[in-house]
Amino acid sequence: MYLVNSLFSAQTMKKRIIQGFWAYWGVKNISLNIGIFLLYVLLGKLGLSFAFVNPSATVLWAPTGIALVALLLFGFRVFPAIFFGAFFVNLITAGGVPTSLGIALGNTLEAVTGAYLVKRFANGVAVFDTVLGIFKFTFFAALLSTTVSATIGVITLVLGGLTPPQTFWTVWLTWWMGDMGGNLLIAPLLLVWATHLKIRFSPRGIGHYLLAISSLIIVTELVFLGVIPYAYLCIPLAVWIAFWFGRRGATTTTLIVAAIAIWDTIHGMGPFGREPSVNRSLILLQVFLDIFSLTALTFATTLLEYSKSKKIIATQAQRFKALIENSFDSVVLIDTSSKILYASPSVKRLLGYTPEELEGKVGFDLIIPEDREKTMKSLSELVLKPGGTKTVEYRTISKDKKIIWVEATGTNLLFEPNINAVVVNFHDITDKKRAALKMLEEKMEDEAMLGSIGDGIIATDKTGKITMVNQRGCEILGVKEKELLGKSIVTAIPMEDENNKVLPMEDRPMTKVLSLGKKIITSSAVYYVRKDKTKFPVHFTVTPVILDKQIAGSIEVFQDITQEKEVDKAKTEFVSLASHQLRTPLATINWYLEELIKNGTNLTEKQGSYLREVYSASRRMVDLINALLNTSRLELGTFVVEPAKIDIAQVAKQVIQDLTPKIEEKSITLKEEYQKDLPLIQADPKLLTIIIQNLLANAIKYTKEKDTVVLKAEYTDKGFAVHVSDNGYGIPKNQQSKIFTKLFRADNARTIEPEGSGLGLYIVNSIVHATGGKIWFESEENKGTTFSVSFPQSGMQQKVGEKQLI
Amino acid sequence: MSGLKKVVLITEDEPPMLRILTDKLTENGFETLQAKNGEEGLSLAFQHHPDLILLDILMPKLDGMAMMSKLRQDDWGKKVPIIVLTNVSADTDETLQAIVKNQPAYYLVKSNSKLEEIVEKVKEILSPLPQSA
């Protein structure tokens, strides 16, 4: 179908015919057609002169070969020559116009089919360049396409009454054999010569050629004249000629043998000449000639392919050599015992030896003894695998006795022609090796360090997936490293707050660190849940990992603080209890002292003042115990916040009243600045008292005599604020960050006032934070300090608890 | 009931405290009764029906809280003003609620209160103020 579509669709035909006759065809084409036409007619007439079974069917039909080669070489445009040639030959031989037309059609279709198949499946004009091409040609052109002509031709003869139907198969076979011969004997000759016309003449060559031809003619004549009637004797000559003169020699030999053999056979001579009929003789001869032609041609082509691949191999070897010579890597070729057969020039640069110095040496001798066994093993393994490669790193010794690390890749080309060696290319990796060793050492150090750290460490990537966890971390969490790696920290290690609520992703400190790029230290009580669902209070520091100014991940250092918490709780409870016990004797002392001071009329002035000192010290003791007690309550989280509507000014005035003795003692000017119409605040009076009392007491304590302290209370749209300012000693800059820390006292404060618990600001800060307020300060050493506390308009947050602060 | 003088029952297990409180209140014109524990305090209270009770919390035999609740079950005891005077436990939520529940009751921390302040408080409670008259 495809064939028909492409060559014979009505439209294509019409178009091509018009183009052919009126537009496209020039003189050249017409003369080409005439030439082929004449050759076709000539050889056709010659062939038909050997037609014995039917005037139109001959066992020697060279035109088939001409037609096929013409179509292959010149394309479709020469089909008129074939068609009219066939028509004309038949017309002048036997039959009338109709049968001649039918036969001509068959011949043309045969040629077109053959040419198409060869072009499509067997490389076209290059069909005889490979042995495989010859096989394909034999099948498609010689065996297959020839059935077209035979079938159409014989049907035409039968229909035209030129042969009786019962002779159909005899005539068909003769026809088919004839056409096959044309393709096998004539087509190769024409095509090979047409594509390789150039002949190089040399006197010796001509002599050789003449010798070969004459030997061939003599032997062939001897065979086919019947002197030595063994046809196969021609074959050694064909092989000889094919070997020396290639395909042109082979095809020419076929032509000569065919010519002599046919002539002699027709005249009843030779090995095929004694058959009952000439036609039978010719058929047998034809078979012989076809096989002879194929044998000679195949042999010649095999030789051609061999020499071509030899050339390719030689080129490859050339390239291979160039590659080695110019390679930046050093290359040596060694045999199976590592003897160096060849060394490339670049070995000088690497090893200090010239290639000549190395050639003949045993390669293993250049390798340091420690690495020798390893390389020997690699080589012995490689030798067993032809074509295989193996890479090995070892230390080699240069000419100046330096040890050089090299990476060598061996390729087993022992069975490769022109090489026959193991090709080893190698290069210096000393620097790389040193760096790698150093890195390994560092890595091991790091790992040892991380493993020995007593805190848990978890590293995550920027999505929160765990990339590393140290030994201690696994122990604390009760999991194995592999259970965590690659998982999200949020799901792999759940975090809960005090109320057993699991913290969602967005509340996890790590999420904040990854989004904000800031370090976070635990501020509130959180718990990690172990794999077995037990949990522990955790203290951690999460730090972002910044690479190229981008957050690349986070590192969390954490500790299980169960014990610390328990110790802390026990400590707090102890303080609480001890404080109570201490207060009873103190209250007793105070009460008795109060009575003594008040009623001690018999005391001297001095004795009275001594008693007052004792009393003051005892009171201070009570204050201290109260502060400790409050601290323990704040830390236990057991204190109550009970807001009520109160007046800040009133609370402040009460505090001032309590502090008046101290204010007067230091002659301090206290300025009270309460905003007019200050609204009532929703606040716990006790807590507010503690706040103001501490701030004011500090201001008085850390201010010189006769200085000024300002107490200010205001209400804005942001809420309530109380400011206590002094122009006293101030807080040193470098200690300001610790000022709210429990038991901390600034250096200057210690010097000025040895008395002090370091609890006041801690308590104030704790209360303010627990009740939803804010505290801040501004301070400069020797200039003064301003502490500010603020609460939102809604005042203090309520808190249910067990104990009140005192 | 003894004449013009108001009677205060002091229930306190610490002898020095009991003594100074007694002295101070006597000085200020009160008649006093002393009890060294809750049991004693309770029997003295029911026996003498004092005008006011000063009550310590941590005491042997019967503690202050228990004594207070027993008092409140009595018809007379229901109305007697009590000042809880303590250093220990008086500030737990439970105690605070007991005080609220057992009105009229007051609460003073010993170490934070001057002796004078305690007397003031007693006087304040016992003086016939205009609003209670």
Side-chain angles (χ1 to χ4, degrees):
Chain A
M1 276 306 282
Y2 176 75
L3 184 78
V4 171
N5 279 342
S6 65
L7 291 178
F8 299 108
S9 73
Q11 228 178 344
T12 320
M13 274 296 275
K14 197 175 160 194
K15 194 174 160 198
R16 290 203 175 176
I17 289 165
I18 292 166
Q19 266 185 350
F21 282 101
W22 305 111
Y24 176 73
W25 280 28
V27 177
K28 204 174 152 193
N29 275 321
I30 292 164
S31 52
L32 180 68
N33 268 281
I34 290 170
I36 294 166
F37 172 79
L38 290 175
L39 190 64
Y40 195 97
V41 171
L42 184 72
L43 284 170
K45 193 65 198 156
L46 183 69
L48 285 177
S49 65
F50 305 118
F52 299 102
V53 289
N54 184 287
S56 304
T58 172
V59 79
L60 297 169
W61 187 245
T64 296
I66 294 167
L68 180 61
V69 171
L71 281 176
L72 283 175
L73 286 173
F74 307 113
F76 189 72
R77 61 197 160 120
V78 297
F79 95 90
I82 296 158
F83 183 79
F84 290 112
F87 176 70
F88 188 69
V89 167
N90 280 288
L91 197 65
I92 59 170
T93 307
V97 175
T99 45
S100 297
L101 276 175
I103 292 167
L105 180 68
N107 283 2
T108 312
L109 280 181
E110 170 195 76
V112 168
T113 309
Y116 170 77
L117 290 172
V118 168
K119 273 188 178 164
R120 176 77 175 76
F121 298 111
N123 293 332
V125 288
V127 62
F128 298 121
D129 287 359
T130 62
V131 174
L132 192 64
I134 296 170
F135 294 165
K136 285 177 176 171
F137 179 85
T138 307
F139 177 73
F140 289 122
L143 296 175
L144 201 62
S145 76
T146 46
T147 58
V148 175
S149 173
T151 307
I152 295 176
V154 179
I155 288 172
T156 309
L157 289 181
V158 172
L159 290 177
L162 294 174
T163 192
Q166 59 266 37
T167 60
F168 183 91
W169 286 114
T170 318
V171 179
W172 190 91
L173 185 69
T174 306
W175 195 304
W176 184 55
M177 290 292 294
D179 284 13
M180 196 195 298
N183 272 348
L184 286 177
L185 305 180
I186 304 300
L189 177 82
L190 293 176
L191 197 58
V192 168
W193 277 99
T195 51
H196 300 85
L197 258 179
K198 217 173 169 185
I199 299 171
R200 267 177 298 168
F201 286 104
S202 69
R204 212 173 132 225
I206 291 170
H208 193 182
Y209 193 64
L210 287 175
L211 177 69
I213 295 281
S214 47
S215 308
L216 177 71
I217 291 169
I218 291 165
V219 171
T220 310
E221 280 295 3
L222 285 175
V223 169
F224 287 95
L225 284 174
V227 182
I228 320 163
Y230 305 114
Y232 51 78
L233 286 178
C234 301
I235 290 171
L237 281 157
V239 169
W240 173 35
I241 295 170
F243 180 75
W244 287 111
F245 303 105
R247 293 178 298 160
R248 287 179 300 188
T251 50
T252 310
T253 303
T254 303
L255 180 71
I256 291 167
V257 171
I260 294 169
I262 289 165
W263 180 266
D264 290 352
T265 302
I266 287 168
H267 292 91
M269 292 178 288
F272 302 104
R274 291 186 202 94
E275 294 299 323
S277 74
V278 181
N279 194 55
R280 190 177 162 82
S281 296
L282 285 179
I283 287 178
L284 290 177
L285 175 64
Q286 180 68 268
V287 173
F288 168 74
L289 288 174
D290 288 349
I291 291 167
F292 180 83
S293 169
L294 276 176
T295 308
L297 183 63
T298 305
F299 182 67
T301 308
T302 307
L303 285 177
L304 178 75
E305 281 192 49
Y306 170 70
S307 69
K308 267 188 195 160
S309 52
K310 224 167 83 174
K311 256 185 218 159
I312 291 169
I313 288 167
T315 318
Q316 279 173 345
Q318 199 78 29
R319 279 196 203 134
F320 176 71
K321 203 174 171 218
L323 209 64
I324 289 176
E325 304 263 300
N326 300 318
S327 168
F328 188 75
D329 275 13
S330 296
V331 181
V332 294
L333 304 191
I334 55 173
D335 67 8
T336 51
S337 69
S338 96
K339 201 174 90 181
I340 297 169
L341 308 171
Y342 165 86
S344 72
S346 53
V347 292
K348 177 98 170 63
R349 192 168 38 79
L350 180 60
L351 297 175
Y353 293 105
T354 62
E356 294 74 32
E357 285 175 308
L358 284 180
E359 277 156 23
K361 273 198 173 146
V362 175
F364 291 141
D365 291 347
L366 297 168
I367 296 169
I368 69 159
E370 295 95 303
D371 290 354
R372 223 169 269 169
E373 198 186 329
K374 176 170 78 176
T375 45
M376 281 175 171
K377 193 166 157 266
S378 297
L379 181 64
S380 56
E381 283 169 10
L382 181 61
V383 163
L384 297 175
K385 280 189 281 177
T389 62
K390 221 172 171 64
T391 299
V392 62
E393 290 178 1
Y394 57 83
R395 282 160 287 179
T396 181
I397 308 156
S398 70
K399 197 178 180 183
D400 53 2
K401 304 287 171 229
K402 269 206 314 227
I403 289 179
I404 299 161
W405 267 104
V406 296
E407 182 186 69
T409 302
T411 308
N412 178 349
L413 299 179
L414 284 166
F415 302 100
E416 205 66 24
N418 300 322
I419 302 173
N420 308 108
V422 172
V423 179
V424 183
N425 50 349
F426 54 97
H427 57 267
D428 189 345
I429 54 162
T430 310
D431 291 345
K432 208 172 94 186
K433 207 76 193 173
R434 271 198 207 119
L437 272 174
K438 207 173 157 214
M439 254 176 72
L440 190 71
E441 272 171 25
E442 280 171 2
K443 192 162 181 260
M444 279 168 71
E445 254 174 48
D446 286 353
E447 273 173 13
M449 258 170 64
L450 289 175
S452 326
I453 287 174
D455 295 342
I457 298 174
I458 297 175
T460 71
D461 65 10
K462 62 174 179 235
T463 65
K465 285 213 179 73
I466 298 170
T467 54
M468 194 279 301
V469 57
N470 73 342
Q471 182 60 34
R472 181 73 189 130
C474 292
E475 283 167 24
I476 297 174
L477 294 165
V479 283
K480 294 204 176 74
E481 187 183 6
K482 60 169 191 266
E483 294 175 79
L484 294 179
L485 292 183
K487 295 202 181 123
S488 162
I489 192 170
V490 178
T491 48
I493 316 169
M495 184 181 272
E496 289 186 358
D497 64 10
E498 286 164 295
N499 308 318
N500 301 332
K501 230 182 77 193
V502 176
L503 290 184
M505 175 97 169
E506 60 270 21
D507 289 349
R508 288 288 288 253
M510 184 214 64
T511 313
K512 288 175 196 158
V513 168
L514 288 177
S515 59
L516 303 172
K518 279 183 189 158
K519 178 170 149 178
I520 290 185
I521 301 173
T522 4
S523 53
S524 55
V526 284
Y527 299 82
Y528 263 156
V529 183
R530 289 194 194 91
K531 201 181 154 197
D532 59 8
K533 304 288 169 218
T534 57
K535 37 187 188 174
F536 61 89
V538 64
H539 177 276
F540 58 80
T541 307
V542 190
T543 318
V545 177
I546 312 274
L547 278 181
D548 291 337
K549 293 179 185 170
Q550 299 228 318
I551 300 169
S554 72
I555 289 189
E556 174 174 323
V557 178
F558 66 100
Q559 297 115 19
D560 174 355
I561 51 164
T562 308
Q563 268 192 320
E564 284 87 338
K565 277 244 160 179
E566 275 167 8
V567 168
D568 214 41
K569 198 170 170 188
K571 188 182 74 190
T572 311
E573 278 169 355
F574 169 77
V575 169
S576 180
L577 195 75
S579 304
H580 285 118
Q581 296 303 323
L582 285 171
R583 292 204 301 186
T584 302
L586 278 174
T588 313
I589 292 168
N590 286 345
W591 288 350
Y592 277 86
L593 281 173
E594 280 162 21
E595 287 310 294
L596 272 181
I597 289 164
K598 197 177 159 203
N599 305 318
T601 43
N602 295 333
L603 296 173
T604 65
E605 183 64 23
K606 209 170 183 181
Q607 283 168 331
S609 79
Y610 282 6
L611 274 180
R612 278 192 292 279
E613 286 296 343
V614 175
Y615 181 66
S616 148
S618 183
R619 291 297 311 184
R620 223 163 44 218
M621 190 79 123
V622 172
D623 289 344
L624 182 63
I625 289 167
N626 285 347
L628 283 171
L629 211 53
N630 283 341
T631 303
S632 79
R633 277 173 198 166
L634 284 168
E635 284 173 4
L636 277 173
T638 51
F639 71 101
V640 226
V641 182
E642 288 179 318
K645 286 245 178 246
I646 53 165
D647 181 1
I648 295 178
Q650 215 172 1
V651 174
K653 284 196 170 104
Q654 184 61 48
V655 172
I656 291 164
Q657 199 186 325
D658 290 345
L659 289 170
T660 305
K662 284 177 183 164
I663 296 169
E664 283 172 355
E665 198 181 314
K666 287 181 92 170
S667 314
I668 280 165
T669 316
L670 180 71
K671 287 185 186 165
E672 293 167 72
E673 295 174 8
Y674 309 117
Q675 186 184 306
K676 270 187 185 168
D677 311 320
L678 192 67
L680 296 181
I681 182 173
Q682 187 77 19
D684 184 313
K686 280 194 172 175
L687 297 180
L688 192 61
T689 305
I690 292 172
I691 292 166
I692 297 175
Q693 200 271 339
N694 273 288
L695 295 181
L696 204 55
N698 276 350
I700 293 160
K701 198 166 171 183
Y702 301 113
T703 304
K704 289 185 227 69
E705 287 189 6
K706 291 174 187 164
D707 271 350
T708 310
V709 171
V710 182
L711 175 62
K712 200 170 156 187
E714 60 181 1
Y715 177 80
T716 64
D717 51 354
K718 282 178 190 161
F720 298 89
V722 175
H723 311 275
V724 180
S725 314
D726 63 60
N727 51 2
Y729 305 112
I731 306 160
K733 266 267 175 306
N734 60 349
Q735 295 183 324
Q736 289 187 357
S737 63
K738 295 186 202 155
I739 202 70
F740 293 120
T741 311
K742 178 163 69 168
L743 301 173
F744 176 82
R745 295 188 70 210
D747 290 342
N748 56 350
R750 284 169 192 277
T751 325
I752 298 152
E753 269 288 342
E755 300 283 345
S757 62
L759 291 173
L761 284 174
Y762 170 74
I763 291 171
V764 171
N765 186 43
S766 301
I767 294 172
V768 170
H769 279 124
T771 53
K774 282 182 191 155
I775 181 163
W776 69 96
F777 67 92
E778 281 167 40
S779 183
E780 203 174 322
E781 219 176 337
N782 299 320
K783 287 263 173 78
T785 307
T786 300
F787 270 93
S788 305
V789 171
S790 74
F791 288 99
Q793 291 181 336
S794 54
M796 282 186 182
Q797 285 165 6
Q798 187 163 0
K799 182 176 176 295
V800 181
E802 280 180 7
K803 299 185 180 179
Q804 286 190 328
L805 294 187
I806 301 156
Chain B
M1 293 291 213
S2 58
L4 290 168
K5 282 192 178 175
K6 300 276 185 185
V7 181
V8 176
L9 168 63
I10 308 164
T11 319
E12 171 63 66
D13 64 324
E14 286 272 335
M17 286 206 156
L18 185 59
R19 183 178 160 192
I20 191 109
L21 284 168
T22 306
D23 289 355
K24 186 71 182 176
L25 286 170
T26 311
E27 239 172 64
N28 281 277
F30 294 100
E31 202 163 302
T32 58
L33 295 165
Q34 294 92 29
K36 288 195 180 68
N37 57 54
E39 262 179 28
E40 248 183 68
L42 203 58
S43 69
L44 280 174
F46 288 138
Q47 202 180 326
H48 298 283
H49 284 193
D51 299 297
L52 186 140
I53 299 173
L54 280 179
L55 185 60
D56 188 18
I57 288 186
L58 266 195
M59 286 184 301
K61 294 192 181 164
L62 190 69
D63 74 20
M65 284 295 128
M67 179 179 156
M68 182 153 73
S69 63
K70 289 210 164 156
L71 275 172
R72 292 308 189 212
Q73 285 163 19
D74 180 75
D75 269 348
W76 165 82
K78 230 178 256 176
K79 295 171 209 151
V80 64
I82 298 171
I83 298 176
V84 174
L85 251 188
T86 186
N87 271 329
V88 190
S89 305
D91 45 7
T92 64
D93 203 29
E94 202 186 340
T95 319
L96 287 169
Q97 277 180 9
I99 287 164
V100 173
K101 215 165 68 188
N102 294 304
Q103 288 297 328
Y106 307 87
Y107 153 62
L108 287 171
V109 176
K110 288 179 189 164
S111 64
N112 291 358
S113 312
K114 290 180 181 169
L115 207 50
E116 203 66 53
E117 287 168 2
I118 297 167
V119 176
E120 291 301 317
K121 193 79 186 174
V122 173
K123 282 181 178 165
E124 186 190 314
I125 294 165
L126 291 178
S127 65
L129 289 170
Q131 59 263 44
S132 64

